[in-house]
Amino acid sequence: MATQNENVSINIGSNFDSKGFKQAETAADKLNRTVKNLATTIGIAYGATAVANFGKQSVKAFLKDEEAATKLANAVKNLGIEFANPYIADYITKLEKTSKVADDQLRPAFQALLQQTGSLSASQSILNTAIETSRGSGVDLATVANDLAQAYVGNNKGLKKYYLGLTTAQIKAKSFTDIQKIMNDQFAGSNTAYLNTYSGQVGVLSLAWQNFQEKVGGTLLTLASFGDGSDGHKLNLLAATLDKIGSGIQLIGKGKEALFGLFDVTGKNGILSKFNPYPQGGTGKPKDTNISKYDALLKKAEDDRKKNQAAILKSQKEATAELKRQAALKKDAGIFDMQQIQLIAALKGKLSEDDRKRVELQLALLNENVTAADSLTKQILMAQDATGNLYKYFMQTPDAKNPFAYLDKWIADFQTKLNALQFPAAPAVVITPPVAIIPPTNPGNGGFTPGTGTYAPPATNVPPFSSGGFTPYSSSSVIPDMAASSSNYGGYAAGQYGQNGAVVVQIDGKTIATANQSQSLSGIPSNVSRVNGMFTG
Amino acid sequence: MPTVELRGNSDLRKALRSFAPDLEKNLRQEMATGLKPVVRAARGFVPASSPMSGWAARSFNQGKFPTYSTSTIIRGITYSTSVSKKNKKGFNSMARIMNKSAVGAIYETAGRKNPQGQIWVGKRAGDSKRVSHSNNPTAGATFIGNLVPLTSSIQGQGRLIYRAWAEDKGRAHGIVMRAIDKTKAEFYSRAATPLSKAA
């Protein structure tokens, strides 16, 4: 009744009790302060964690960049133009700045092209085409560079996706020079147009961020190696370094300048720059980018490459020719078919005249010699039947293509004969009127004479009704033997129902009385109650 | 000198019990002086027998609706001078007059919200207690019509304590409030008086 009492009561001196509210307010204030402090703490901790994560990502980016640079340098070295490495590094850096394509993408693409063409100038030209095509088509640079590298050696299969306005046959027929020209015409200016878009601007920003990460990663590795002064255990010290950086950030606070100073400490103008063993960007700063003095060497390398390619091409052509020759030989080898060989061998043996003709016929059929086959067939058939009937029958044999063709004519003949059939006229039917029925002489009592017990059928001409095989009932013949002594089931002789004699029921009163007495003494209630007349047992 | 602010009735009564028990006792007595006549009058308004024969007490009652009982209603009409618990809106009171029994509350308030009874919906229309499920569509109006009319007071409408409060015309309220003010003033007066040195 609490609710009702609130309504059914008169409160006097009511006052708002703000004590609880004040307490709640105070508690909320405390909670707010606590949350703020907690948020501050979490923020600092999160900031330290974020810096640590950024450091890890930066190191990864730097290592990936360094790996790509090393791969390219090694590929250049294997091509015999190791001297061009500084120039290539400089070219990649400049191309990155102008095209705003990350060096991570440029290096693998350039490497693929350089390995395929063997020519520095050709690779550069194709890479420019690849960049424009990539921007214009939306296909990533690595794929475009791979397709162009394949096209350079005649495999134009991958160019279909760029929708150059050429059929598959035309693409296959075009030379790489033509293909490159078409692609240049189609996709020229795509990169510039892309960079003017918002997406392109974001891409530029992303590229700058990647480069920043790479630089930071290099710097962090520098700091890590600076601790022990050796090249080893850099990564082991990296975690400790990152921890120190996080602590440093906590101490320094949120000052951007301090943060910038931290990251720039080993930069170009940083106080630890002289201890930084890694060049900025991690790609190895080219010391001499003047490639013109290596023109002769480059030309020689390109010539060697072309010579090698020509040799490979020649070898491939020879291999193709060899394959063709082998195919022809294989075809020719079919002449020496085993069946023919066997037939010829058989003919060389001692055969009867008939068998020889048969073998010759098989050989003629195998060689599709129709004239010889017809002649031999006639000879064989005539040999079997000198009268010539077999040969005639063979010649009259219906076309094997339709073994039932002759049935058409037969059915037509059968139909004609069927139509020509004439049935004999039916004889006239003569119906004689029935004999007049004579009624019985005494229809009232049906021939029964009362008092005599005899029955005399009245005189009539109605024929007696046939029994149809029905035997009238005879008690002495249908009741089976029901004697208890019978060995049959219940007195019935197996398989003789209704065929034995009359049933004889013998009731032994003494036996029944004894049985009833035994049941009464059994103690079963139903049997005992028989005395009371409730059950008759 | 540090000051103590008493917020609300609870603090005042606690302070009185702790520092001026005599004032607290006196307050209770003075408030009771004002409330007793109202309670007595309210009890006098309770009918001696059920207003309706069907509502009268019976030997066996299966229903949940309480049967009419004069003694139960009278026993339920009482007063309290203790500080009540805060209601859901945060208010408490120094004293109050109550009609605590269920049957008393029914007699007190029937028709206050719905003068013609609750809206009739019948038995098979949900189980809401805000509508009438009686077989008789006019049961609510008939029930209210058989009771004495509601009396309006400054505290609300009713037939027993509200009627008594209305007929008291504020005398009880004045006594209680004057007692509270006097006690409060006395208490602050005592608190403001500096302790004299022991002789």
Side-chain angles (χ1 to χ4, degrees), chain A residues 188-526:
Chain A
S190 298
N191 191 42
T192 309
Y194 171 77
L195 292 176
N196 288 330
T197 63
Y198 181 74
S199 176
Q201 295 296 321
V202 172
V204 170
L205 192 62
S206 175
L207 176 64
W209 176 253
Q210 285 178 17
N211 289 334
F212 173 71
Q213 273 195 320
E214 289 168 6
K215 287 180 181 178
V216 170
T219 307
L220 288 173
L221 281 177
T222 306
L223 289 171
S225 63
F226 180 71
D228 62 351
S230 64
D231 289 337
H233 308 295
K234 292 177 183 177
L235 293 176
N236 291 335
L237 287 170
L238 181 60
T241 307
L242 291 173
D243 190 37
K244 289 175 183 174
I245 290 169
S247 302
I249 290 171
Q250 280 181 322
L251 291 171
I252 292 166
K254 292 185 271 185
K256 294 179 183 177
E257 292 177 1
L259 193 65
F260 178 78
L262 181 69
F263 287 134
D264 201 40
V265 72
T266 59
K268 186 178 178 181
N269 299 319
I271 57 172
L272 298 176
S273 59
K274 62 179 180 179
F275 297 106
N276 187 355
Y278 295 95
Q280 296 300 299
T283 57
K285 191 175 181 180
K287 293 176 181 177
D288 186 2
T289 58
N290 184 11
I291 199 69
S292 58
K293 59 184 178 182
Y294 298 111
D295 281 349
L297 289 172
L298 280 173
K299 191 172 185 309
K300 184 176 179 298
E302 287 180 22
D303 290 344
D304 291 343
R305 184 76 178 175
K306 283 179 181 175
K307 201 179 287 179
N308 288 337
Q309 283 186 339
I312 291 169
L313 194 61
K314 187 181 176 184
S315 173
Q316 285 179 344
K317 282 180 179 176
E318 287 175 358
T320 307
E322 178 65 19
L323 285 174
K324 282 182 181 176
R325 193 175 65 81
Q326 286 180 359
L329 285 173
K330 192 176 179 182
K331 192 176 179 181
D332 294 343
I335 296 168
F336 305 101
D337 188 83
M338 285 304 293
Q339 279 185 299
Q340 294 190 34
I341 291 167
Q342 287 172 357
L343 290 171
I344 290 165
L347 287 171
K348 285 182 180 178
K350 193 174 183 180
L351 296 172
S352 66
E353 189 65 24
D354 189 41
D355 290 342
R356 178 172 293 280
K357 282 179 181 175
R358 289 177 185 276
V359 173
E360 284 175 356
L361 176 58
Q362 286 185 34
L363 195 61
L365 290 172
L366 204 62
N367 291 320
E368 297 178 352
N369 188 342
V370 180
T371 309
D374 287 345
S375 172
L376 289 165
T377 304
K378 184 178 180 181
Q379 290 177 30
I380 291 167
L381 292 174
M382 290 298 286
Q384 288 183 355
D385 184 7
T387 61
N389 290 332
L390 182 61
Y391 177 68
K392 285 179 184 176
Y393 175 78
F394 177 77
M395 295 304 288
Q396 291 173 355
T397 301
D399 190 359
K401 291 181 180 176
N402 184 8
F404 303 106
Y406 68 95
L407 285 175
D408 292 342
K409 187 174 183 304
W410 186 87
I411 290 170
D413 293 344
F414 179 76
Q415 185 66 43
T416 305
K417 288 177 181 177
L418 197 64
N419 294 338
L421 280 177
Q422 291 184 349
F423 295 98
V429 178
V430 179
I431 302 172
T432 55
V435 179
I437 297 172
I438 301 171
T441 55
N442 187 11
N445 54 13
F448 178 74
T449 305
T452 61
T454 59
Y455 169 75
T460 180
N461 63 343
V462 177
F465 182 73
S466 174
S467 66
F470 174 73
T471 304
Y473 171 77
S474 174
S475 61
S476 61
S477 63
V478 299
I479 304 300
D481 180 12
M482 296 294 288
S485 59
S486 173
S487 60
N488 297 323
Y489 296 102
Y492 281 90
Q496 296 180 3
Y497 298 110
Q499 295 179 11
N500 281 357
V503 174
V504 178
V505 180
Q506 293 179 342
I507 301 173
D508 187 353
K510 187 179 179 181
T511 305
I512 293 170
T514 305
N516 282 337
Q517 189 176 9
S518 299
Q519 285 185 342
S520 298
L521 293 172
S522 67
I524 299 170
S526 60

Side-chain angles (χ1 to χ4, degrees), chain A residues 7-10 12-13 15 17, chain B residues 9 90 92 94-97 162:
Chain A
N7 292 328
V8 192
S9 64
I10 298 171
I12 305 147
N15 200 352
D17 190 350
Chain B
N9 299 325
N92 58 8
M94 292 286 277
R96 62 209 160 274
I97 297 169
Y162 291 96

Side-chain angles (χ1 to χ4, degrees), chain B residues 68-110:
Chain B
Y68 187 84
S69 171
T70 306
S71 60
T72 303
I73 296 173
I74 289 173
R75 277 202 310 272
I77 296 173
T78 183
Y79 71 91
S80 173
T81 55
S82 302
V83 177
S84 66
K85 289 181 181 178
K86 282 189 292 187
N87 64 12
K88 59 187 175 184
K89 293 179 181 176
F91 285 83
N92 58 8
S93 60
M94 292 286 277
R96 62 209 160 274
I97 297 169
M98 300 168 290
N99 187 350
K100 294 195 288 188
S101 67
V103 63
I106 290 168
Y107 184 83
E108 177 85 48
T109 61

Side-chain angles (χ1 to χ4, degrees), chain B residues 167-188:
Chain B
E167 291 184 357
D168 187 66
K169 295 180 180 177
R171 283 191 290 271
H173 186 252
I175 293 168
V176 172
M177 295 308 296
R178 191 168 59 246
I180 293 170
D181 291 341
K182 192 177 79 175
T183 305
K184 198 185 292 183
E186 179 65 22
F187 181 71
Y188 278 111

Side-chain angles (χ1 to χ4, degrees), chain A residues 113 115-119 122-123 126 145-156 159 175-177 179-180 302 305-306 309:
Chain A
L113 292 170
Q115 284 178 327
Q116 191 74 294
T117 62
S119 168
S123 299
I126 297 169
N146 183 55
D147 289 341
L148 289 175
Q150 294 294 329
Y152 186 81
V153 292
N155 183 2
N156 295 346
L159 300 177
S175 68
F176 180 76
T177 310
I179 293 288
Q180 190 177 8
E302 287 180 22
R305 184 76 178 175
K306 283 179 181 175
Q309 283 186 339

Side-chain angles (χ1 to χ4, degrees), chain A residues 79-97:
Chain A
L79 287 171
I81 51 175
E82 188 179 4
F83 55 84
N85 260 331
Y87 170 77
I88 291 170
D90 185 53
Y91 164 73
I92 294 292
T93 307
K94 286 177 179 174
L95 188 61
E96 183 189 24
K97 286 179 181 174

